[in-house]
């Protein structure tokens, strides 16, 4: 999956598509019952299992695969990918977060519309609205009418021949904490931009639809996993072994010391020392068993995903075009990037554009500038705190 990200960023579309087909086959067919049993056993770590990614990673993979099929104008296959992605998204312990991946609903809408399947397109469009509104994103006024200027409605009005896929923000990360690294937590990344605009060939800026492909939200809203309970039980058992070891060693030390002090009564002393030695043996056994237990969680994750995927549908003439993308933090323009894209004739162009590092660099520069410009006004320490918050 990480190799797939690199290929898409390098515009290696054919290689990426071939890799997706292989990944899809592995996701659907690769199982190993023995490795699953090892991962759940007391003696082996979760790292032993066949790891296919978290629900949000599998759902995002199918979204990228749907985009690849849309590029090849194989819209039925794209719809199948959307359905697989929604099934992956439904793998959640949080009932309120099931099937709320708005990007998948939009891709289903677009592919259905390209096939002139208006009934399915309407269903996907309603689901798109429901997914966004479930997160408190307001698309309608109190009378139920669509808000004028809503950039999501612009998606519906277009019949694009170009899809720009803008990767922005820091991806969610996985941290394993706890005494034995048994607690697996997904930490939300940082999206450096509150809003993004795009202009093509020096035309007027338009806002990109936000929260459509919010990978950070998807990663952190799934709830816990069944495996978390298994790992917690393993950690409890390992802790019990360690406590038992300490108790046996303490009792053994006490009995040996008592036996040494009562050697005037040899039988009593030898009995106490024998009992102490037995406690040491039991403590050593508990230590060995505890050391062999492995409750460590699997900390792998898809490192080079973005925090958000922005989808921009466009209707452009064949040839070269200049795309100007701006990222905003609050009301300030934080980053500007210019890309040159090639639009093919009689084809559906899907072009991936990176804005991850640009945002990070822009904010680091802004933070440093604040420190340099305001040091004499509010003090260097205060400026550094402000700069840290911006980072």
């Amino acid at each position: 999956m990480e190799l797939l990200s690199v290929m898409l960023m390098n515009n290696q579309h054919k290689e990426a598509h071939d890799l997706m087909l292989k990944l899809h086959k592995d996701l659907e067919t690769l199982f190993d019952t023995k490795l699953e049993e090892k991962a759940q056993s007391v003696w082996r770590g979760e790292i032993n299992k066949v790891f296919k990614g978290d629900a949000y990673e599998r759902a995002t993979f199918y979204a990228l695969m749907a985009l690849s099929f849309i590029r090849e104008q194989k819209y039925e296959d794209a719809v199948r990918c959307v359905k697989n992605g929604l099934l992956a998204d439904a793998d959640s312990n949080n009932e309120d977060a099931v099937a709320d991946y708005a990007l998948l609903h939009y891709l289903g809408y677009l592919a259905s519309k390209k096939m002139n399947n208006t009934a399915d397109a309407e269903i996907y469009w309603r689901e798109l609205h429901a997914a966004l509104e479930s997160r408190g994103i307001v698309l309608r006024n109190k009378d139920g009418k669509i808000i004028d200027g809503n950039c999501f409605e612009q998606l519906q009005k277009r019949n694009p021949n170009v899809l720009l896929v803008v990767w922005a923000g820091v991806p969610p990360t996985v941290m394993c904490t706890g005494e034995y690294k048994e607690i697996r937590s997904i930490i939300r990344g940082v999206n450096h931009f509150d809003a993004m605009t795009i202009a093509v060939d020096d035309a007027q800026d338009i806002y990109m639809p936000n929260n459509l492909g919010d990978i950070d939200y998807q990663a952190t809203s799934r709830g816990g996993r069944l495996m978390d309970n298994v790992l917690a039980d393993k950690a409890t058992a390992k802790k019990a072994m360690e406590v038992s070891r300490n108790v046996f060693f303490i009792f053994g030390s006490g009995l040996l010391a008592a036996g040494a002090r009562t050697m005037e009564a040899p039988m009593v002393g030898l009995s106490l020392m024998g009992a102490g030695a037995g406690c040491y043996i039991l403590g050593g056994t508990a230590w060995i068993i505890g050391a062999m237990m492995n409750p460590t969680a699997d900390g792998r994750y898809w490192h080079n995903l973005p925090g958000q995927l922005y989808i921009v549908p466009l209707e452009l003439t064949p040839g070269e075009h200049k795309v100007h993308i701006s990222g905003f933090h609050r009301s300030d323009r934080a980053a500007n990037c210019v890309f040159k894209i090639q639009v093919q004739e009689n084809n559906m162009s899907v072009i991936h554009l990176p804005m991850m590092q640009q945002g990070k660099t822009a904010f680091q520069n802004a933070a440093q500038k604040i420190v340099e410009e305001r040091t004499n006004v509010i003090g260097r320490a205060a400026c550094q705190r402000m700069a840290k918050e911006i980072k």
Side-chain angles (χ1 to χ4, degrees), residues 212-239:
L212 195 64
D214 192 340
I215 296 173
D216 280 321
Y217 170 79
Q218 295 299 320
T220 54
S221 62
R222 303 300 95 190
R225 309 174 302 155
L226 293 176
M227 192 64 186
D228 293 337
N229 299 328
V230 176
L231 296 175
D233 292 341
K234 287 187 188 184
T236 301
K238 187 177 179 72
K239 187 66 178 179

Side-chain angles (χ1 to χ4, degrees), residues 4-266:
L4 172 63
S5 293
V6 174
M7 288 178 173
L8 291 174
M9 286 296 99
N10 289 333
N11 292 316
Q12 297 172 271
H13 295 290
K14 185 180 185 308
E15 294 88 342
H17 189 78
D18 292 341
L19 179 58
M20 289 181 199
L21 295 176
K22 180 185 181 302
L23 284 169
H24 167 66
K25 183 179 179 180
D26 289 345
L27 286 172
E28 297 300 320
T29 63
L30 186 58
F31 296 96
D32 194 319
T33 305
K34 291 183 179 179
L35 289 180
E36 291 291 333
E37 291 173 353
K38 286 182 180 180
Q40 297 185 45
S41 72
V42 175
W43 315 112
R44 302 297 183 96
E46 189 189 2
I47 195 74
N48 285 280
K49 72 180 182 182
V50 177
F51 185 64
K52 300 183 179 183
D54 286 295
Y56 78 93
E57 292 171 322
R58 298 194 304 275
T60 301
F61 163 73
Y62 280 116
L64 294 174
M65 193 174 184
L67 283 164
S68 186
F69 275 119
I70 287 174
R71 181 180 179 275
E72 296 197 351
Q73 302 182 63
K74 297 179 179 179
Y75 301 115
E76 290 185 3
D77 290 327
V79 170
R80 292 191 188 98
C81 291
V82 168
K83 291 178 179 178
N84 281 331
L86 291 173
L87 284 174
D89 186 53
D91 183 13
S92 169
N93 286 335
N94 181 5
E95 293 183 2
D96 295 334
V98 171
D100 65 350
Y101 207 150
L103 174 58
L104 289 166
H105 294 298
Y106 173 67
L107 296 178
Y109 162 79
L110 179 61
S112 299
K113 187 176 177 182
K114 289 289 186 180
M115 292 188 293
N116 295 318
N117 190 339
T118 55
D120 283 354
E122 183 61 29
I123 292 172
Y124 280 117
W125 190 252
R126 287 200 302 267
E127 292 297 326
L128 167 64
H129 273 250
L132 293 171
E133 290 173 350
S134 69
R135 297 180 52 191
I137 299 170
V138 179
L139 302 177
R140 304 170 187 270
N141 59 24
K142 293 181 180 179
D143 298 327
K145 295 182 180 180
I146 298 296
I147 297 174
D148 291 337
N150 181 348
C151 56
F152 287 101
E153 292 308 310
Q154 299 301 316
L155 296 174
Q156 190 179 28
K157 295 177 181 178
R158 296 194 180 115
N159 183 25
N161 65 331
V162 177
L163 283 180
L164 298 184
V165 187
V166 181
W167 298 39
V170 177
T173 58
V174 170
M175 290 185 63
C176 295
T177 57
E179 187 173 357
Y180 311 111
K181 304 297 183 184
E182 77 279 8
I183 302 173
R184 186 179 189 272
S185 303
I186 299 178
I187 311 300
R188 190 182 181 110
V190 178
N191 189 356
H192 301 291
F193 308 121
D194 299 320
M196 296 183 72
T197 63
I198 184 170
V200 181
D201 296 331
D202 300 322
Q204 184 178 1
D205 287 355
I206 59 172
Y207 278 97
M208 297 185 194
N210 204 3
N211 300 306
L212 195 64
D214 192 340
I215 296 173
D216 280 321
Y217 170 79
Q218 295 299 320
T220 54
S221 62
R222 303 300 95 190
R225 309 174 302 155
L226 293 176
M227 192 64 186
D228 293 337
N229 299 328
V230 176
L231 296 175
D233 292 341
K234 287 187 188 184
T236 301
K238 187 177 179 72
K239 187 66 178 179
M241 286 294 109
E242 292 183 354
V243 172
S244 299
R245 173 200 66 189
N246 293 336
V247 170
F248 281 125
F249 282 161
I250 291 170
F251 269 100
S253 298
L255 290 171
L256 287 173
R261 288 195 300 270
T262 57
M263 288 308 292
E264 296 83 1

